[in-house]
Amino acid sequence: MNRWLAWGVLIFGVLYFILPLYGMAEFSLSMRRGVYSFDAYTKVLTDPTFQQTFSYSVMMAVFTIIFGVLLVVPTAYWVRLKMPEARPFVEFITLLPLVIPAIVIVFGYIRLYNTSSWLPLTGSVTGTNLLLMFGYATLSLPYMYRAVDTGLRTIDVATLTEAAQSLGASWATILARIILPNVLVAVLSGAFVTFAIVIGEFTMAALLDRPAFGPYMQLLGANRAYEPAALAVIAFAITWACMGLIQLVSRFSKHTKAQR
Amino acid sequence: MAFLELDNLEKFYGPVQVVKKFNLSVEKGEFISFLGPSGCGKTTTLRMVAGFETPTSGSIRIDGQDIVRLRPNQRNIGMVFQSYALFPNLTVAQNVGFGMKVARRPKAEIDARVKEMLGIIGLPDLGARYPFQLSGGQQQRVALARALAIQPQVLLLDEPLSALDAQIRVSLRSEIRAIQQKLGITTIYVTHDQEEALSMSDRIVVMHKGKADQVGTPVEIYNRPATRFVAGFVGTLNQIEGRVEDAANGLVIAGGQSLALGRRLEQSNGTSVALAFRPEALHRGEHPGEIGLTGRIAEVHFLGAVIRMKVDIGGTQVSLDSFNRAGADLPRAGDDVALSIAPGDVLVLGD
Ligand SMILES: Nc1ncnc2c1ncn2[C@@H]1O[C@H](COP(=O)(O)OP(=O)(O)OP(=O)(O)O)[C@@H](O)[C@H]1O
Ligand SMILES: [Mg+2]
């Protein structure tokens, strides 16, 4: 009895998840009347705007990840090592982006850094890109921080630090050679989540008027029939590839293989 | 002037003083143990030498240079931790070579030293392994090699063996001592295991509530403990409360009996003292030239080579060890016995 119920719930869940996906995939393949074809995909992939916006977003993602790692790893490390009592506070701060809508953040940015402000970041393309990257980093902060903090929990940060110090290592060396490699798997999983967020983000890029992938998807969705479905499938594939990579990476790191 | 000098070292955590007026001079190549119960400040003192804690006052000098101001990574002091603390992301060889790599030594030199170190610790073939592929004892040996590879001025070990099981502990103990003597490295070893301290050290510092109660060779510490605490903490010690009757002639009343110690006592007449002696110093029978006592046997434990008895002397139970001899009768509980002890084996402890 109980078991039937469990199976029923599972099947319902799978259908709930799969059916729309299936419908979308099916639709994206039906551009040519009567037969399945990849026409919609070819159209999307050969569109120069797609290529431009996608590579722009990938680049932004890479910079966001680098910035996020440089910001989060030393911070989480320091909090763990020197001010454990501040951890709940820092954790709270890193959770804020989940409750503050992106639109609020971006309006705040525009108000603070507009062309007539003390730091007119929005006045130049580089400045705006920088601003957008900060925004992305903020959005990914909850995931990045949590991932790194969890990674740090698996090693004895304090003792390893002292061991390295007694061997002559500076803070930078300790971070780069001991701490970062040991939380690399955690960092990478945070990085892939960041990647997925940046690729799909719409609000910030649109309001800062940057040619990112999110606004392009929205634009396409408003004007075309089959292409948006194809695009959505592509976006899905990218996200899943990221998830797969997380799994793969946690497997290929040698020193953690047999750890319990 | 000694090689390593701790001078009036003190440490407060807030209002709590954990290290008090700690003075110690260590000669080059000496092996010093800090011995004491949990919480007496051993680790804190060691960490001040390593630079992980800042002394509230006092100075630490190595080779005449005050190092209190130096950061831990500038002190060139090797450290071995109870939890091994090997870098999990590095192989054994990379772990051992880490300090030299940080110091930007040439690769050939690093490789040679790593090889030499792995040879010294008896694990020449395990360089390519990761720490998780080693047993606890092996990991601690690698940690030792890593600390020694930088050729530190001083080696510090904080209870390095207490996470290991008894058998490895004993064998690794003598191995560490042998390596230390071979390299002639000045070493401070923290332990709460008195057997470890007695068997390994050139000198022992017995610590109690943040103070160095006594500094001396293992023989001195065991045979001539300076305070009641040292006497009670190192080895088994019998204590009988007594009162000085005649200090000039060394007469003490204890357990209802008068004991002639045959030497002048520092304590004045009438002060209460404790008479202390080791279980193996007391024996049955009367021996000329020794102090005679009477007691009643309370318990007898046959341990094979040794017979351990509890004897009641005027209301105080003391332990007595004697060797087993074939053919001799085992004493029985309840027997009255004559006991004797050499006057020199009796310590008179004031408060
Ligand atoms: N960071 C700290 N803040 C406050 N008190 C501390 C701190 N570190 C140690 N103490 C206190 O200082 C005292 C000495 O500690 P220490 O670690 O030196 O003891 P220990 O002799 O090494 O003991 P054990 O044998 O248990 O390791 C203890 O009472 C401990 O509670
Ligand atoms: Mg300790």
Side-chain angles (χ1 to χ4, degrees):
Chain A
M1 174 64 210
N2 227 336
R3 187 184 250 201
W4 287 114
L5 193 73
W7 277 108
V9 169
L10 182 70
I11 289 170
F12 174 77
V14 168
L15 287 181
Y16 185 85
F17 192 68
I18 294 284
L19 273 184
L21 262 185
Y22 170 77
M24 187 171 70
E26 205 267 342
F27 183 70
S28 72
L29 293 170
S30 330
M31 198 174 189
R32 201 175 297 172
R33 204 162 289 254
V35 287
Y36 286 140
S37 72
F38 284 102
D39 283 8
Y41 291 86
T42 327
K43 257 232 160 93
V44 167
L45 292 174
T46 51
D47 180 358
T49 325
F50 166 83
Q51 290 162 7
Q52 278 158 21
T53 55
F54 191 72
S55 46
Y56 174 83
S57 281
V58 168
M59 238 193 28
M60 287 306 289
V62 169
F63 281 117
T64 306
I65 287 165
I66 292 172
F67 176 74
V69 169
L70 290 181
L71 177 74
V72 167
V73 174
T75 309
Y77 168 68
W78 201 252
V79 167
R80 247 177 199 279
L81 191 66
K82 296 282 179 181
M83 15 189 219
E85 67 281 352
R87 253 186 79 211
F89 177 70
V90 174
E91 233 164 64
F92 173 74
I93 290 188
T94 61
L95 280 179
L96 281 181
L98 289 183
V99 289
I100 299 177
I103 196 158
V104 173
I105 297 175
V106 79
F107 270 124
Y109 277 174
I110 292 171
R111 246 195 98 89
L112 262 179
Y113 303 113
N114 63 35
T115 42
S116 54
S117 71
W118 57 281
L119 187 61
L121 279 179
T122 55
S124 67
V125 171
T126 322
T128 317
N129 282 342
L130 206 63
L131 215 49
L132 185 58
M133 186 194 76
F134 290 150
Y136 286 158
T138 310
L139 290 184
S140 67
L141 200 57
Y143 311 98
M144 200 61 159
Y145 188 84
R146 215 135 302 255
V148 171
D149 199 45
T150 311
L152 285 174
R153 191 179 314 154
T154 61
I155 56 174
D156 183 351
V157 172
T159 316
L160 288 183
T161 301
E162 287 179 357
Q165 277 181 318
S166 75
L167 293 169
S170 62
W171 290 115
T173 312
I174 295 173
L175 270 169
R177 303 274 286 280
I178 306 297
I179 302 302
L180 191 59
N182 275 303
V183 296
L184 196 62
V185 173
V187 165
L188 283 174
S189 72
F192 290 129
V193 174
T194 306
F195 187 81
I197 290 176
V198 172
I199 292 297
E201 210 283 330
F202 168 76
T203 319
M204 289 190 164
L207 287 172
L208 287 173
D209 193 24
R210 299 308 303 146
F213 189 57
Y216 169 73
M217 277 203 285
Q218 190 275 338
L219 192 73
L220 206 67
N223 299 312
R224 298 292 176 80
Y226 297 98
E227 287 91 336
L231 206 53
V233 171
I234 293 172
F236 243 107
I238 292 169
T239 314
W240 283 8
C242 283
M243 302 239 236
L245 280 180
I246 297 177
Q247 293 296 319
L248 210 69
V249 160
S250 36
R251 224 162 281 173
F252 94 98
S253 76
K254 284 182 288 255
H255 59 270
T256 48
K257 219 176 274 166
Q259 263 173 20
R260 298 143 290 260
Chain B
M1 194 172 53
F3 182 64
L4 169 64
E5 284 183 290
L6 313 188
D7 199 4
N8 272 321
L9 214 53
E10 306 218 36
K11 178 71 184 175
F12 285 81
Y13 284 116
V16 187
Q17 186 167 18
V18 282
V19 177
K20 296 169 192 157
K21 292 262 172 247
F22 193 97
N23 288 292
L24 180 68
S25 298
V26 184
E27 295 301 328
K28 199 163 186 145
E30 227 183 343
F31 190 114
I32 300 279
S33 289
F34 288 178
L35 178 65
S38 188
C40 68
K42 307 180 294 286
T43 299
T44 307
T45 309
L46 198 74
R47 288 169 59 81
M48 287 194 281
V49 177
F52 300 132
E53 305 282 356
T54 316
T56 312
S57 67
S59 70
I60 303 169
R61 284 188 300 276
I62 294 181
D63 221 358
Q65 189 203 1
D66 194 332
I67 58 165
V68 168
R69 290 283 154 75
L70 294 182
R71 278 181 270 128
N73 60 353
Q74 301 169 323
R75 293 194 182 191
N76 195 28
I77 287 179
M79 180 100 187
V80 176
F81 300 83
Q82 181 179 344
S83 58
Y84 324 136
L86 294 180
F87 306 128
N89 58 313
L90 302 180
T91 63
V92 166
Q94 287 168 333
N95 262 286
V96 175
F98 184 84
M100 299 183 71
K101 189 147 186 203
V102 166
R104 296 182 205 283
R105 310 301 307 167
K107 189 170 180 320
E109 187 188 332
I110 298 179
D111 290 347
R113 177 81 51 76
V114 167
K115 193 155 174 252
E116 180 196 341
M117 283 298 149
L118 291 181
I120 286 179
I121 58 164
L123 303 173
D125 305 322
L126 300 188
R129 293 225 189 144
Y130 282 93
F132 75 87
Q133 296 166 316
L134 301 179
S135 72
Q138 290 170 330
Q139 288 191 48
Q140 196 56 297
R141 274 186 244 198
V142 173
L144 179 66
R146 181 180 69 176
L148 289 171
I150 58 169
Q151 299 185 315
Q153 306 194 74
V154 176
L155 177 67
L156 308 176
L157 304 100
D158 192 355
E159 308 203 15
L161 304 180
S162 47
L164 302 168
D165 39 347
Q167 227 172 6
I168 304 170
R169 205 149 52 198
V170 173
S171 67
L172 208 49
R173 189 198 282 173
S174 43
E175 223 170 293
I176 291 179
R177 175 62 164 154
I179 292 171
Q180 183 268 335
Q181 283 181 320
K182 182 173 168 193
L183 301 179
I185 185 161
T186 314
T187 303
I188 299 180
Y189 186 100
V190 164
T191 179
H192 58 246
D193 181 336
Q194 42 169 304
E195 208 178 292
E196 238 168 69
L198 290 171
S199 66
M200 296 173 85
S201 321
D202 292 316
R203 284 191 297 154
I204 298 174
V205 179
V206 183
M207 290 185 68
H208 178 44
K209 293 190 180 155
K211 282 219 306 256
D213 260 27
Q214 187 176 6
V215 183
T217 64
V219 173
E220 281 168 2
I221 297 280
Y222 189 83
N223 288 342
R224 289 194 296 284
T227 66
R228 272 187 200 225
F229 172 78
V230 176
F233 187 73
V234 182
T236 312
L237 195 80
N238 294 310
Q239 296 199 28
I240 304 180
E241 295 298 326
R243 193 167 44 77
V244 178
E245 184 73 6
D246 183 353
N249 297 314
L251 218 59
V252 177
I253 307 280
Q257 306 179 36
S258 174
L259 285 77
L261 298 180
R263 61 175 188 262
R264 214 190 139 72
L265 302 177
E266 292 161 18
Q267 290 82 358
S268 54
N269 289 353
T271 47
S272 58
V273 290
L275 297 184
F277 48 91
R278 302 285 178 195
E280 64 269 22
L282 187 67
H283 28 257
R284 282 179 294 155
E286 287 167 24
H287 297 265
E290 297 197 347
I291 305 169
L293 283 163
T294 54
R296 170 168 292 164
I297 293 179
E299 293 170 30
V300 179
H301 299 282
F302 181 64
L303 305 176
V306 172
I307 301 167
R308 171 158 296 174
M309 284 160 272
K310 291 263 198 256
V311 183
D312 191 303
I313 300 179
T316 312
Q317 283 212 348
V318 299
S319 300
L320 182 163
D321 286 354
S322 69
F323 285 112
N324 178 32
R325 251 167 289 146
D329 280 341
L330 212 59
R332 277 183 318 238
D335 288 355
D336 283 325
V337 283
L339 304 163
S340 71
I341 185 165
D345 286 341
V346 180
L347 302 161
V348 181
L349 303 172
D351 287 301

